[in-house]
Short mmCIF file of all heavy atoms in Angstrom, two decimals:
data_model
loop_
_atom_site.label_atom_id
_atom_site.label_comp_id
_atom_site.label_asym_id
_atom_site.label_seq_id
_atom_site.Cartn_x
_atom_site.Cartn_y
_atom_site.Cartn_z
N ILE A 1 -5.81 16.87 6.85
CA ILE A 1 -6.08 15.50 6.39
C ILE A 1 -5.92 15.45 4.86
O ILE A 1 -6.41 16.32 4.15
CB ILE A 1 -7.51 15.06 6.78
CG1 ILE A 1 -7.71 15.21 8.29
CG2 ILE A 1 -7.74 13.62 6.34
CD1 ILE A 1 -6.77 14.38 9.13
N THR A 2 -5.23 14.43 4.41
CA THR A 2 -5.07 14.19 2.97
C THR A 2 -5.80 12.90 2.61
O THR A 2 -5.27 11.80 2.80
CB THR A 2 -3.59 14.07 2.59
OG1 THR A 2 -2.88 15.22 3.06
CG2 THR A 2 -3.42 13.96 1.08
N PRO A 3 -7.04 12.98 2.13
CA PRO A 3 -7.81 11.76 1.85
C PRO A 3 -7.13 10.84 0.83
O PRO A 3 -7.32 9.62 0.87
CB PRO A 3 -9.13 12.30 1.30
CG PRO A 3 -9.24 13.68 1.84
CD PRO A 3 -7.84 14.20 1.89
N GLY A 4 -6.32 11.41 -0.06
CA GLY A 4 -5.64 10.58 -1.04
C GLY A 4 -4.71 9.56 -0.42
O GLY A 4 -4.57 8.43 -0.93
N THR A 5 -4.06 9.92 0.69
CA THR A 5 -3.16 8.98 1.35
C THR A 5 -3.95 7.84 2.00
O THR A 5 -3.46 6.71 2.07
CB THR A 5 -2.32 9.70 2.42
OG1 THR A 5 -3.18 10.29 3.41
CG2 THR A 5 -1.47 10.79 1.78
N TYR A 6 -5.15 8.13 2.48
CA TYR A 6 -5.99 7.07 3.04
C TYR A 6 -6.39 6.09 1.94
O TYR A 6 -6.45 4.87 2.16
CB TYR A 6 -7.24 7.67 3.68
CG TYR A 6 -6.99 8.35 4.99
CD1 TYR A 6 -6.35 9.58 5.06
CD2 TYR A 6 -7.39 7.77 6.19
CE1 TYR A 6 -6.11 10.21 6.27
CE2 TYR A 6 -7.17 8.38 7.41
CZ TYR A 6 -6.52 9.61 7.45
OH TYR A 6 -6.29 10.21 8.65
N SER A 7 -6.68 6.64 0.76
CA SER A 7 -7.00 5.77 -0.37
C SER A 7 -5.81 4.89 -0.73
O SER A 7 -5.95 3.70 -1.00
CB SER A 7 -7.41 6.62 -1.57
OG SER A 7 -7.73 5.82 -2.68
N PHE A 8 -4.63 5.49 -0.72
CA PHE A 8 -3.41 4.76 -1.02
C PHE A 8 -3.17 3.64 -0.01
O PHE A 8 -2.88 2.49 -0.37
CB PHE A 8 -2.24 5.75 -1.03
CG PHE A 8 -0.89 5.14 -0.93
CD1 PHE A 8 -0.29 4.55 -2.02
CD2 PHE A 8 -0.20 5.17 0.28
CE1 PHE A 8 0.97 4.00 -1.93
CE2 PHE A 8 1.05 4.61 0.38
CZ PHE A 8 1.65 4.03 -0.73
N LEU A 9 -3.32 3.94 1.29
CA LEU A 9 -3.12 2.93 2.32
C LEU A 9 -4.22 1.88 2.30
O LEU A 9 -3.97 0.70 2.60
CB LEU A 9 -3.05 3.61 3.69
CG LEU A 9 -1.85 4.53 3.92
CD1 LEU A 9 -1.98 5.25 5.26
CD2 LEU A 9 -0.55 3.75 3.86
N GLY A 10 -5.44 2.27 1.97
CA GLY A 10 -6.51 1.29 1.85
C GLY A 10 -6.24 0.31 0.73
O GLY A 10 -6.52 -0.90 0.87
N ALA A 11 -5.69 0.80 -0.39
CA ALA A 11 -5.33 -0.10 -1.49
C ALA A 11 -4.27 -1.09 -1.05
O ALA A 11 -4.34 -2.28 -1.38
CB ALA A 11 -4.84 0.72 -2.68
N ALA A 12 -3.27 -0.62 -0.31
CA ALA A 12 -2.22 -1.52 0.18
C ALA A 12 -2.79 -2.55 1.14
O ALA A 12 -2.42 -3.73 1.10
CB ALA A 12 -1.12 -0.70 0.87
N ALA A 13 -3.70 -2.13 2.02
CA ALA A 13 -4.30 -3.05 2.98
C ALA A 13 -5.11 -4.14 2.30
O ALA A 13 -5.02 -5.32 2.63
CB ALA A 13 -5.17 -2.27 3.97
N ALA A 14 -5.92 -3.75 1.32
CA ALA A 14 -6.75 -4.74 0.63
C ALA A 14 -5.89 -5.74 -0.14
O ALA A 14 -6.17 -6.94 -0.16
CB ALA A 14 -7.73 -4.04 -0.30
N LEU A 15 -4.84 -5.24 -0.79
CA LEU A 15 -3.96 -6.14 -1.54
C LEU A 15 -3.22 -7.09 -0.61
O LEU A 15 -3.07 -8.28 -0.92
CB LEU A 15 -2.97 -5.32 -2.37
CG LEU A 15 -2.02 -6.12 -3.27
CD1 LEU A 15 -2.79 -7.03 -4.21
CD2 LEU A 15 -1.12 -5.18 -4.06
N CYS A 16 -2.78 -6.59 0.53
CA CYS A 16 -2.13 -7.46 1.52
C CYS A 16 -3.10 -8.49 2.06
O CYS A 16 -2.75 -9.66 2.25
CB CYS A 16 -1.56 -6.62 2.65
SG CYS A 16 -0.88 -7.58 4.02
N GLY A 17 -4.35 -8.08 2.29
CA GLY A 17 -5.33 -9.00 2.86
C GLY A 17 -5.62 -10.19 1.98
O GLY A 17 -5.80 -11.30 2.47
N VAL A 18 -5.62 -9.98 0.66
CA VAL A 18 -5.98 -11.07 -0.24
C VAL A 18 -4.78 -11.88 -0.70
O VAL A 18 -4.91 -13.04 -1.08
CB VAL A 18 -6.75 -10.51 -1.46
CG1 VAL A 18 -5.82 -9.87 -2.47
CG2 VAL A 18 -7.59 -11.59 -2.12
N THR A 19 -3.57 -11.28 -0.68
CA THR A 19 -2.38 -12.00 -1.14
C THR A 19 -1.42 -12.36 -0.02
O THR A 19 -0.55 -13.20 -0.21
CB THR A 19 -1.62 -11.15 -2.17
OG1 THR A 19 -1.13 -9.95 -1.53
CG2 THR A 19 -2.51 -10.79 -3.35
N LYS A 20 -1.51 -11.69 1.13
CA LYS A 20 -0.61 -11.85 2.27
C LYS A 20 0.83 -11.41 1.94
O LYS A 20 1.78 -11.86 2.56
CB LYS A 20 -0.62 -13.29 2.79
CG LYS A 20 -1.98 -13.76 3.27
CD LYS A 20 -2.50 -12.91 4.42
CE LYS A 20 -3.89 -13.32 4.86
NZ LYS A 20 -3.93 -14.61 5.54
N MET A 21 0.98 -10.55 0.94
CA MET A 21 2.28 -9.95 0.65
C MET A 21 2.60 -8.94 1.75
O MET A 21 1.71 -8.24 2.23
CB MET A 21 2.25 -9.25 -0.72
CG MET A 21 2.08 -10.18 -1.89
SD MET A 21 1.60 -9.30 -3.42
CE MET A 21 2.91 -8.08 -3.55
N THR A 22 3.87 -8.84 2.11
CA THR A 22 4.25 -7.91 3.18
C THR A 22 5.40 -7.00 2.73
O THR A 22 5.17 -5.88 2.30
CB THR A 22 4.66 -8.68 4.45
OG1 THR A 22 5.65 -9.67 4.12
CG2 THR A 22 3.45 -9.38 5.06
N VAL A 23 6.62 -7.51 2.81
CA VAL A 23 7.79 -6.68 2.49
C VAL A 23 7.74 -6.21 1.05
O VAL A 23 7.97 -5.03 0.75
CB VAL A 23 9.09 -7.46 2.76
CG1 VAL A 23 10.31 -6.63 2.38
CG2 VAL A 23 9.18 -7.88 4.22
N SER A 24 7.47 -7.11 0.13
CA SER A 24 7.42 -6.73 -1.28
C SER A 24 6.33 -5.69 -1.54
O SER A 24 6.50 -4.79 -2.36
CB SER A 24 7.20 -7.96 -2.16
OG SER A 24 6.01 -8.64 -1.79
N LEU A 25 5.22 -5.78 -0.82
CA LEU A 25 4.12 -4.84 -1.02
C LEU A 25 4.52 -3.45 -0.53
O LEU A 25 4.19 -2.44 -1.17
CB LEU A 25 2.88 -5.32 -0.29
CG LEU A 25 1.64 -4.44 -0.40
CD1 LEU A 25 1.28 -4.19 -1.85
CD2 LEU A 25 0.45 -5.07 0.33
N VAL A 26 5.22 -3.37 0.61
CA VAL A 26 5.69 -2.07 1.10
C VAL A 26 6.58 -1.40 0.07
O VAL A 26 6.46 -0.20 -0.22
CB VAL A 26 6.43 -2.24 2.44
CG1 VAL A 26 7.10 -0.92 2.85
CG2 VAL A 26 5.48 -2.71 3.53
N VAL A 27 7.48 -2.18 -0.51
CA VAL A 27 8.40 -1.62 -1.51
C VAL A 27 7.64 -1.21 -2.76
O VAL A 27 7.91 -0.15 -3.35
CB VAL A 27 9.50 -2.65 -1.85
CG1 VAL A 27 10.39 -2.13 -2.97
CG2 VAL A 27 10.34 -2.94 -0.62
N ILE A 28 6.68 -2.02 -3.20
CA ILE A 28 5.88 -1.67 -4.38
C ILE A 28 5.14 -0.35 -4.15
O ILE A 28 5.15 0.55 -5.01
CB ILE A 28 4.89 -2.80 -4.72
CG1 ILE A 28 5.63 -4.00 -5.30
CG2 ILE A 28 3.83 -2.31 -5.71
CD1 ILE A 28 4.75 -5.22 -5.49
N MET A 29 4.51 -0.20 -3.00
CA MET A 29 3.76 1.02 -2.72
C MET A 29 4.69 2.22 -2.59
O MET A 29 4.34 3.34 -3.00
CB MET A 29 2.93 0.85 -1.44
CG MET A 29 1.94 -0.30 -1.47
SD MET A 29 0.83 -0.32 -2.91
CE MET A 29 -0.23 1.07 -2.56
N PHE A 30 5.88 1.98 -2.06
CA PHE A 30 6.85 3.08 -1.98
C PHE A 30 7.30 3.51 -3.38
O PHE A 30 7.41 4.71 -3.69
CB PHE A 30 8.07 2.65 -1.16
CG PHE A 30 9.26 3.55 -1.34
CD1 PHE A 30 9.25 4.85 -0.88
CD2 PHE A 30 10.39 3.09 -2.00
CE1 PHE A 30 10.35 5.69 -1.06
CE2 PHE A 30 11.49 3.91 -2.18
CZ PHE A 30 11.47 5.21 -1.72
N GLU A 31 7.55 2.54 -4.26
CA GLU A 31 7.98 2.89 -5.61
C GLU A 31 6.86 3.55 -6.40
O GLU A 31 7.13 4.30 -7.35
CB GLU A 31 8.48 1.64 -6.34
CG GLU A 31 9.79 1.10 -5.78
CD GLU A 31 10.35 -0.05 -6.59
OE1 GLU A 31 9.88 -1.18 -6.38
OE2 GLU A 31 11.24 0.18 -7.42
N LEU A 32 5.62 3.28 -6.04
CA LEU A 32 4.49 3.94 -6.70
C LEU A 32 4.39 5.41 -6.32
O LEU A 32 3.95 6.24 -7.11
CB LEU A 32 3.18 3.24 -6.34
CG LEU A 32 2.85 1.94 -7.08
CD1 LEU A 32 1.59 1.32 -6.52
CD2 LEU A 32 2.69 2.19 -8.56
N THR A 33 4.78 5.75 -5.09
CA THR A 33 4.60 7.11 -4.59
C THR A 33 5.91 7.87 -4.47
O THR A 33 5.93 9.09 -4.64
CB THR A 33 3.93 7.08 -3.20
OG1 THR A 33 4.78 6.38 -2.28
CG2 THR A 33 2.60 6.38 -3.28
#
């Protein structure tokens, strides 16, 4: 288990939940990692 990846995915989920960004958010998170 890599807890850091859960933190990364939790950040993406929370940002999507409040903004409803989808495709652009996936690309942003990919460019971050």
Side-chain angles (χ1 to χ4, degrees):
I1 305 299
T2 306
T5 60
Y6 285 74
S7 180
F8 163 78
L9 294 174
L15 183 55
C16 174
V18 78
T19 65
K20 299 300 177 70
M21 294 164 55
T22 52
V23 178
S24 57
L25 180 56
V26 172
V27 175
I28 288 173
M29 302 308 289
F30 164 68
E31 291 186 279
L32 281 175
T33 61

